[in-house]
Amino acid sequence: MGVLGQLITAWRYLLAHSDKFLELLRQHVALVFSSVFLAIAVAVPLGILATRNERVKGIILGLGNIAQTIPTLAIIALVFPLLGIGFLPAFVGLFTYAVLPILTNTITGIEDVDDGTVRAAKGMGMTDWEILRKIQLPLAVPVIFAGIRTSTVINVGTAYLAFFIGGGGLGLWVISGINLYNMPQVLAGAIPGALLAITLDSLFALVEKQLNGEATQADGAVTG
Protein backbone atom coordinates (compact mmCIF):
# COMPACT_ATOMS: atom_id res chain seq x y z
CA MET A 1 0.00 0.00 0.00
CA GLY A 2 1.36 3.40 -0.98
CA VAL A 3 1.60 6.48 1.22
CA LEU A 4 -1.69 7.88 -0.07
CA GLY A 5 -3.42 4.58 0.61
CA GLN A 6 -2.07 4.52 4.16
CA LEU A 7 -3.28 8.07 4.76
CA ILE A 8 -6.74 7.20 3.48
CA THR A 9 -6.85 4.12 5.69
CA ALA A 10 -5.73 6.20 8.69
CA TRP A 11 -8.45 8.77 7.96
CA ARG A 12 -11.07 6.04 7.85
CA TYR A 13 -9.77 4.62 11.13
CA LEU A 14 -9.99 8.06 12.74
CA LEU A 15 -13.56 8.57 11.52
CA ALA A 16 -14.57 5.12 12.75
CA HIS A 17 -13.17 5.91 16.19
CA SER A 18 -13.90 9.63 16.30
CA ASP A 19 -15.23 9.62 19.88
CA LYS A 20 -12.08 7.96 21.17
CA PHE A 21 -9.93 10.31 19.09
CA LEU A 22 -11.59 13.40 20.56
CA GLU A 23 -11.08 12.02 24.06
CA LEU A 24 -7.38 11.34 23.44
CA LEU A 25 -6.91 14.74 21.77
CA ARG A 26 -8.54 16.48 24.74
CA GLN A 27 -6.23 14.64 27.14
CA HIS A 28 -3.22 15.53 24.98
CA VAL A 29 -4.09 19.23 24.78
CA ALA A 30 -4.87 19.36 28.51
CA LEU A 31 -1.45 17.89 29.34
CA VAL A 32 0.36 20.34 27.06
CA PHE A 33 -1.36 23.55 28.07
CA SER A 34 -1.70 22.86 31.79
CA SER A 35 2.02 22.05 32.06
CA VAL A 36 3.01 25.13 30.02
CA PHE A 37 0.72 27.44 32.00
CA LEU A 38 2.26 26.28 35.28
CA ALA A 39 5.73 26.59 33.77
CA ILE A 40 4.98 30.22 32.87
CA ALA A 41 3.74 30.92 36.41
CA VAL A 42 6.94 29.46 37.87
CA ALA A 43 9.60 30.37 35.30
CA VAL A 44 8.79 34.06 34.73
CA PRO A 45 9.03 35.09 38.43
CA LEU A 46 12.17 32.97 38.83
CA GLY A 47 13.66 34.60 35.74
CA ILE A 48 12.93 38.07 37.10
CA LEU A 49 14.50 37.09 40.43
CA ALA A 50 17.57 35.72 38.63
CA THR A 51 18.19 39.04 36.87
CA ARG A 52 18.32 40.75 40.27
CA ASN A 53 20.94 38.48 41.83
CA GLU A 54 23.84 36.77 40.04
CA ARG A 55 24.23 34.08 42.68
CA VAL A 56 20.54 33.21 42.56
CA LYS A 57 20.75 33.27 38.76
CA GLY A 58 23.52 30.65 38.78
CA ILE A 59 21.55 28.38 41.12
CA ILE A 60 18.29 28.70 39.18
CA LEU A 61 19.89 28.11 35.78
CA GLY A 62 21.91 25.21 37.17
CA LEU A 63 18.79 23.49 38.49
CA GLY A 64 16.95 24.21 35.26
CA ASN A 65 19.74 22.73 33.15
CA ILE A 66 19.87 19.61 35.32
CA ALA A 67 16.11 19.12 35.02
CA GLN A 68 16.33 19.52 31.24
CA THR A 69 18.97 16.79 30.89
CA ILE A 70 16.83 14.19 32.66
CA PRO A 71 14.66 12.26 30.14
CA THR A 72 10.94 12.70 30.59
CA LEU A 73 10.45 8.98 31.18
CA ALA A 74 13.11 9.09 33.90
CA ILE A 75 11.28 11.97 35.60
CA ILE A 76 8.05 10.01 35.38
CA ALA A 77 9.81 6.99 36.90
CA LEU A 78 11.14 9.13 39.73
CA VAL A 79 7.75 10.60 40.63
CA PHE A 80 5.88 7.32 40.13
CA PRO A 81 6.41 6.09 43.74
CA LEU A 82 4.95 9.39 45.01
CA LEU A 83 2.21 10.12 42.48
CA GLY A 84 1.34 6.74 41.03
CA ILE A 85 0.05 6.50 37.46
CA GLY A 86 -2.21 8.79 35.48
CA PHE A 87 -2.36 12.44 34.52
CA LEU A 88 -0.35 13.90 37.42
CA PRO A 89 3.04 12.20 36.93
CA ALA A 90 2.83 12.86 33.18
CA PHE A 91 2.01 16.49 33.96
CA VAL A 92 5.06 16.77 36.24
CA GLY A 93 7.34 15.42 33.52
CA LEU A 94 6.01 17.85 30.91
CA PHE A 95 6.14 20.76 33.35
CA THR A 96 9.80 20.03 34.07
CA TYR A 97 10.63 20.16 30.38
CA ALA A 98 8.60 23.32 29.79
CA VAL A 99 10.32 25.41 32.46
CA LEU A 100 13.83 25.91 31.07
CA PRO A 101 13.07 27.60 27.71
CA ILE A 102 10.74 30.06 29.42
CA LEU A 103 13.19 30.66 32.27
CA THR A 104 16.21 31.29 30.06
CA ASN A 105 14.24 33.50 27.69
CA THR A 106 12.89 35.56 30.58
CA ILE A 107 16.43 36.19 31.82
CA THR A 108 17.73 36.90 28.33
CA GLY A 109 14.83 39.18 27.46
CA ILE A 110 15.24 41.35 30.56
CA GLU A 111 19.04 41.48 30.45
CA ASP A 112 19.10 42.32 26.73
CA VAL A 113 17.07 45.52 27.15
CA ASP A 114 19.30 48.32 25.87
CA ASP A 115 21.28 50.05 28.62
CA GLY A 116 20.48 53.38 27.03
CA THR A 117 16.77 52.68 27.47
CA VAL A 118 17.29 51.83 31.15
CA ARG A 119 19.38 54.96 31.70
CA ALA A 120 16.72 57.07 30.00
CA ALA A 121 14.11 55.60 32.33
CA LYS A 122 16.28 56.35 35.37
CA GLY A 123 16.73 59.87 34.07
CA MET A 124 12.95 60.20 34.10
CA GLY A 125 13.01 59.38 37.84
CA MET A 126 11.77 55.79 37.66
CA THR A 127 12.63 53.35 40.45
CA ASP A 128 14.11 49.91 39.73
CA TRP A 129 10.69 48.31 40.18
CA GLU A 130 9.08 50.82 37.82
CA ILE A 131 11.82 50.23 35.24
CA LEU A 132 11.22 46.48 35.49
CA ARG A 133 7.44 46.77 35.28
CA LYS A 134 7.12 49.55 32.70
CA ILE A 135 10.27 49.14 30.59
CA GLN A 136 12.16 45.87 30.89
CA LEU A 137 9.25 43.42 31.07
CA PRO A 138 7.26 44.98 28.19
CA LEU A 139 10.38 44.99 26.01
CA ALA A 140 11.24 41.43 27.08
CA VAL A 141 7.76 40.04 26.30
CA PRO A 142 8.61 38.95 22.71
CA VAL A 143 11.64 37.00 23.93
CA ILE A 144 9.68 35.47 26.81
CA PHE A 145 6.89 34.53 24.41
CA ALA A 146 9.44 32.83 22.14
CA GLY A 147 10.35 30.60 25.09
CA ILE A 148 6.67 29.83 25.68
CA ARG A 149 6.32 28.96 22.00
CA THR A 150 9.29 26.60 22.18
CA SER A 151 8.02 24.89 25.33
CA THR A 152 4.54 24.41 23.90
CA VAL A 153 5.69 22.87 20.63
CA ILE A 154 8.17 20.58 22.41
CA ASN A 155 5.51 19.42 24.84
CA VAL A 156 3.10 18.49 22.05
CA GLY A 157 5.61 15.82 21.05
CA THR A 158 6.72 14.90 24.55
CA ALA A 159 3.11 14.37 25.68
CA TYR A 160 3.04 11.16 23.63
CA LEU A 161 5.11 9.59 26.42
CA ALA A 162 2.21 10.02 28.84
CA PHE A 163 0.96 6.67 27.54
CA PHE A 164 3.65 4.83 29.53
CA ILE A 165 2.29 6.16 32.83
CA GLY A 166 -1.41 5.94 32.01
CA GLY A 167 -1.68 9.67 31.38
CA GLY A 168 -3.71 9.34 28.19
CA GLY A 169 -3.20 11.41 25.07
CA LEU A 170 -2.54 10.51 21.46
CA GLY A 171 0.42 8.37 22.47
CA LEU A 172 -2.08 5.64 23.35
CA TRP A 173 -2.83 5.12 19.66
CA VAL A 174 0.72 5.59 18.43
CA ILE A 175 2.52 3.30 20.85
CA SER A 176 -0.16 0.63 21.12
CA GLY A 177 -0.49 0.76 17.33
CA ILE A 178 3.23 0.11 16.96
CA ASN A 179 2.99 -2.85 19.33
CA LEU A 180 0.06 -4.26 17.36
CA TYR A 181 1.56 -3.44 13.93
CA ASN A 182 -1.58 -1.39 13.29
CA MET A 183 -0.29 1.34 10.96
CA PRO A 184 -3.66 3.11 10.44
CA GLN A 185 -3.91 3.53 14.22
CA VAL A 186 -0.34 4.81 14.43
CA LEU A 187 -0.91 7.40 11.71
CA ALA A 188 -4.29 8.41 13.15
CA GLY A 189 -2.50 9.26 16.38
CA ALA A 190 0.72 10.72 14.97
CA ILE A 191 -0.54 12.98 12.19
CA PRO A 192 -2.98 15.02 14.33
CA GLY A 193 -0.17 15.63 16.83
CA ALA A 194 2.13 16.86 14.08
CA LEU A 195 -0.60 19.11 12.69
CA LEU A 196 -1.29 20.43 16.20
CA ALA A 197 2.39 21.30 16.69
CA ILE A 198 2.61 23.01 13.29
CA THR A 199 -0.60 24.96 13.88
CA LEU A 200 0.42 26.14 17.34
CA ASP A 201 3.88 27.10 16.13
CA SER A 202 2.41 29.13 13.26
CA LEU A 203 -0.11 30.90 15.50
CA PHE A 204 2.54 31.66 18.10
CA ALA A 205 4.84 32.98 15.36
CA LEU A 206 2.16 35.48 14.32
CA VAL A 207 1.65 36.64 17.90
CA GLU A 208 5.41 36.86 18.42
CA LYS A 209 5.75 39.06 15.33
CA GLN A 210 3.03 41.37 16.66
CA LEU A 211 4.71 41.55 20.06
CA ASN A 212 8.05 42.40 18.45
CA GLY A 213 6.43 45.30 16.65
CA GLU A 214 4.84 46.61 19.84
CA ALA A 215 8.13 46.27 21.75
CA THR A 216 9.97 48.23 19.07
CA GLN A 217 7.41 51.02 19.33
CA ALA A 218 7.64 51.04 23.13
CA ASP A 219 11.45 51.23 22.98
CA GLY A 220 11.26 54.17 20.60
CA ALA A 221 8.81 55.95 22.89
CA VAL A 222 11.23 55.72 25.83
CA THR A 223 14.43 56.64 24.03
CA GLY A 224 12.87 59.12 21.63
Side-chain angles (χ1 to χ4, degrees):
M1 183 182 297
V3 174
L4 181 59
Q6 290 183 343
L7 291 177
I8 292 173
T9 305
W11 175 248
R12 290 173 177 168
Y13 182 92
L14 191 152
L15 291 178
H17 303 83
S18 57
D19 290 343
K20 183 63 174 179
F21 168 73
L22 291 176
E23 178 188 351
L24 295 178
L25 180 62
R26 179 192 60 79
Q27 294 170 350
H28 204 94
V29 170
L31 274 170
V32 171
F33 281 101
S34 60
S35 61
V36 171
F37 284 148
L38 182 60
I40 294 170
V42 172
V44 173
L46 284 179
I48 293 171
L49 178 62
T51 62
R52 266 48 200 167
N53 188 301
E54 284 297 321
R55 183 177 180 184
V56 172
K57 175 182 174 181
I59 294 172
I60 291 174
L61 286 178
L63 291 174
N65 285 323
I66 291 172
Q68 192 75 9
T69 60
I70 303 174
T72 306
L73 281 177
I75 294 173
I76 290 173
L78 290 172
V79 300
F80 169 73
L82 298 175
L83 303 179
I85 63 173
F87 179 91
L88 191 55
F91 167 82
V92 170
L94 292 175
F95 160 76
T96 303
Y97 260 64
V99 166
L100 188 61
I102 303 172
L103 177 62
T104 55
N105 278 39
T106 300
I107 295 171
T108 301
I110 293 174
E111 291 185 339
D112 282 356
V113 173
D114 185 69
D115 289 339
T117 303
V118 175
R119 286 195 298 270
K122 288 181 178 179
M124 296 167 62
M126 289 186 179
T127 63
D128 286 343
W129 168 246
E130 288 175 330
I131 292 172
L132 173 66
R133 183 168 57 89
K134 296 181 179 181
I135 306 298
Q136 291 176 311
L137 276 179
L139 294 179
V141 163
V143 181
I144 297 172
F145 191 82
I148 296 171
R149 173 185 173 187
T150 299
S151 292
T152 303
V153 174
I154 289 174
N155 271 12
V156 170
T158 309
Y160 279 89
L161 299 178
F163 163 80
F164 291 107
I165 200 69
L170 295 170
L172 177 64
W173 272 6
V174 173
I175 298 170
S176 62
I178 291 173
N179 291 334
L180 296 171
Y181 300 100
N182 187 340
M183 189 54 63
Q185 180 178 309
V186 173
L187 293 176
I191 293 175
L195 293 176
L196 177 62
I198 292 170
T199 301
L200 289 175
D201 187 57
S202 299
L203 291 174
F204 279 30
L206 291 175
V207 176
E208 189 178 331
K209 183 178 179 180
Q210 179 67 27
L211 291 173
N212 274 311
E214 292 176 358
T216 301
Q217 292 177 1
D219 190 17
V222 174
T223 57

